[in-house]
Amino acid sequence: MTCKLVIYFTFFFCLLFTLVPYVHMYPSYPYSGNYQLDLNFYDRSCPNLQRIVGYGVWLALKNDNRMAASLLRLHFHDCIVNGCDASVLLDDTPYFTGEKNALPNRNSLRGFEVIDDIKEHLERICPSTVSCADILALAAREAIDQIGGPSWQVQLGRRDATTTSKEAAEQQIPSPIEPLENITAKFFSKGLDMKDVVALSGAHTIGFARCFTFKGRLFDFQGSGRPDPALDFSLLSKLQNTCPNEDASNSNLAPLDATSTMMFDNEYYRNIVYNTALLESDQALLKDRRTAPTVYYYSNNRFSFYNDFAKSMVKLSNVGVLTGAEGQIRYKCGSVNY
């Protein structure tokens, strides 16, 4: 009898310790401790996650061909402000004014409803499991992949922030009208390097910009009272028609890449080389000896740009993430769980 009991308890404890690794490998959410992001994070807790996100993005692109650029920008504006924590999605409350109403984002960021729809679907299938930050990261990847751009692996397991800051967004988001030195400093503060600056700037191969972000180049470049002499004359004429020198035109839109507006390619870099970049901050990449060689290289090597853009997106999407017991899994992306 005693021998049988010893054999039984030996088998029980062996079985228990065999199962322990699986508890940590496939949590529905991180309970505590120092968890790292993992490609397989939701394999058991929400196995259809990537299909659901992919379908949600496909529907959005079907209804609005600008949405790929919008989702990518939404993810970037989230990550560049205190890390990839979905703080950009939070609505204002009596306790804080959020990033949505910061100057770089107000009436400009788009795609919130796409993320909300995906989140609502996931809450029905996998309740209280998938973070809004992970949805944002996956949606950005899906958007670029679905329009023919590069793809990249997205590690998962991010948690959502419980607060947000308008002031932080206004301080940390790069502005198209500030010097390149300031822009690179903001990238460097997030652990990104000069190559990342040039590669991620290539996101401007799709999307649009509002006139007020570049109107100075058209009429009063650096206070000269004249247009930017580096800007191609034919492009200057078209932009002045789109953006007349009056406040009423500030919200008008112009394509960041007029050559292939809806295609994710390397035309953005060719535009810079031929002085037809829309934003002053983009054209500045050709004037700096640290960035100019990479601009020339990408202008002639689309696949190298794709490869480096994908690598830089992986780095960006891992900036300042919350994991483990940090943050929370929000039930709704626009509000904190109370």
Side-chain angles (χ1 to χ4, degrees), residues 279-299:
L279 302 180
E280 185 177 343
S281 56
D282 290 335
Q283 196 61 55
L285 294 174
L286 195 65
K287 301 175 183 178
D288 192 298
R289 60 180 179 81
R290 300 168 300 169
T291 54
T294 310
V295 170
Y296 281 113
Y297 181 67
Y298 288 158
S299 72

Side-chain angles (χ1 to χ4, degrees), residues 16-226:
L16 176 63
F17 285 109
T18 300
L19 291 174
V20 164
Y22 290 93
V23 174
H24 293 283
M25 191 181 302
Y26 298 107
S28 59
Y29 58 91
Y31 296 95
S32 61
N34 297 318
Y35 285 86
Q36 300 297 316
L37 300 184
D38 187 343
L39 291 172
N40 305 311
F41 191 84
Y42 297 107
D43 278 9
R44 290 200 172 184
S45 60
C46 196
N48 291 317
L49 166 63
Q50 305 217 26
R51 292 190 189 92
I52 291 170
V53 174
Y55 181 68
V57 170
W58 178 81
L59 277 181
L61 295 178
K62 182 182 177 184
N63 294 325
D64 181 355
N65 59 6
R66 289 177 54 200
M67 193 52 68
S70 297
L71 290 172
L72 180 60
R73 184 168 182 257
L74 190 60
H75 179 47
F76 175 79
H77 279 222
D78 179 43
C79 292
I80 209 70
V81 181
N82 297 333
C84 308
D85 57 7
S87 57
V88 73
L89 304 178
L90 286 170
D91 296 322
D92 292 351
T93 73
Y95 309 104
F96 56 70
T97 301
E99 298 168 35
K100 282 184 177 181
N101 283 310
L103 184 59
N105 297 335
R106 189 186 313 135
N107 300 320
S108 171
L109 279 187
R110 305 169 72 244
F112 296 104
E113 71 285 355
V114 177
I115 304 302
D116 288 342
D117 287 348
I118 294 171
K119 176 63 172 175
E120 184 179 345
H121 189 172
L122 286 168
E123 283 299 308
R124 293 196 298 268
I125 306 299
C126 321
S128 304
T129 300
V130 182
S131 68
C132 300
D134 278 342
I135 295 171
L136 261 180
L138 285 170
R141 190 272 310 276
E142 284 296 319
I144 300 308
D145 182 44
Q146 290 187 28
I147 64 169
S151 187
W152 57 91
Q153 290 188 317
V154 178
Q155 293 185 308
L156 301 166
R158 296 166 190 77
R159 305 267 288 177
D160 297 326
T162 55
T163 188
T164 180
S165 168
K166 174 177 177 285
E167 291 74 21
E170 292 177 343
Q171 292 168 6
Q172 297 176 36
I173 295 174
S175 165
I177 60 175
E178 66 182 330
L180 182 61
E181 198 65 38
N182 293 12
I183 293 173
T184 56
K186 291 178 179 181
F187 276 77
F188 294 166
S189 70
K190 307 302 176 183
L192 302 169
D193 59 29
M194 192 63 76
K195 193 171 187 179
D196 298 318
V197 172
V198 183
L200 292 173
S201 294
H204 287 171
T205 189
I206 54 174
F208 291 76
R210 292 182 291 175
C211 287
F212 85 88
T213 62
F214 58 86
K215 194 186 285 186
R217 299 187 72 198
L218 311 182
F219 302 102
D220 188 23
F221 181 63
Q222 297 181 352
S224 66
R226 298 178 179 179

